[in-house]
Structure formats: structure tokens, C-alpha cells
Amino acid sequence: MSRKFEDYKADVTFDVWMSGGNVDSIDMDMVRDYYYSGYYPEETANSICQRTRSEYKYYDEQYE
């Protein structure tokens, strides 16, 4: 992997963490897709956090 991608991945991880997201839930294949599509790390982190929140919401709704 290129150094640029490693920096991008670190930025995404940091942004997810700063947003209160779970850094263990980051899908690196998705990060790689966003990287090659030209998204900014903040956009990728927002997408990851939204996806994670919707998964938790779905889980919570199943067990209410």
C-alpha cells in the first residue's frame, strides 16, 4: 500500500474516533473504495459512523 493510503486510513480512524464511533467497526475495504473514489477522510468517517449508528438502531429496534 502506498504511504498516501496509510495516511488516509489513519485520518479516517482518527475522525471516526473523534466522532464517537467505534474504530473497531471500520471496514478497510470500504475505506479503500472511498480512497480510490476521491472522497475526503472526513466524508469516509461520516459514512462509517452513519452506517454504524443505523446498524445499532436496527439492532435496538429488534429487541424492544
Side-chain angles (χ1 to χ4, degrees), residues 19-21 46 48-58:
S19 298
N46 287 338
I48 290 169
C49 288
Q50 287 175 351
R51 181 178 54 93
T52 303
R53 284 187 200 109
S54 67
E55 288 172 358
Y56 284 131
K57 183 179 178 186
Y58 175 77

Side-chain angles (χ1 to χ4, degrees), residues 1-15:
M1 281 185 240
S2 69
R3 184 66 197 149
K4 272 185 150 181
F5 178 72
E6 290 298 319
D7 292 341
Y8 183 86
K9 184 170 72 170
D11 289 344
V12 169
T13 302
F14 179 76
D15 289 337

Side-chain angles (χ1 to χ4, degrees), residues 9 38 41 44 48 59-60:
K9 184 170 72 170
T44 304
I48 290 169
Y59 179 81
D60 291 343

Side-chain angles (χ1 to χ4, degrees), residues 19-64:
S19 298
N22 182 0
V23 295
D24 294 329
S25 71
I26 297 174
D27 179 5
M28 286 304 154
D29 291 331
M30 186 174 116
V31 172
R32 187 174 293 111
D33 291 343
Y34 274 69
Y35 173 74
Y36 287 117
S37 296
Y39 288 94
Y40 290 108
E42 298 83 17
E43 295 171 315
T44 304
N46 287 338
S47 178
I48 290 169
C49 288
Q50 287 175 351
R51 181 178 54 93
T52 303
R53 284 187 200 109
S54 67
E55 288 172 358
Y56 284 131
K57 183 179 178 186
Y58 175 77
Y59 179 81
D60 291 343
E61 288 173 353
Q62 296 297 314
Y63 294 99
E64 287 183 344

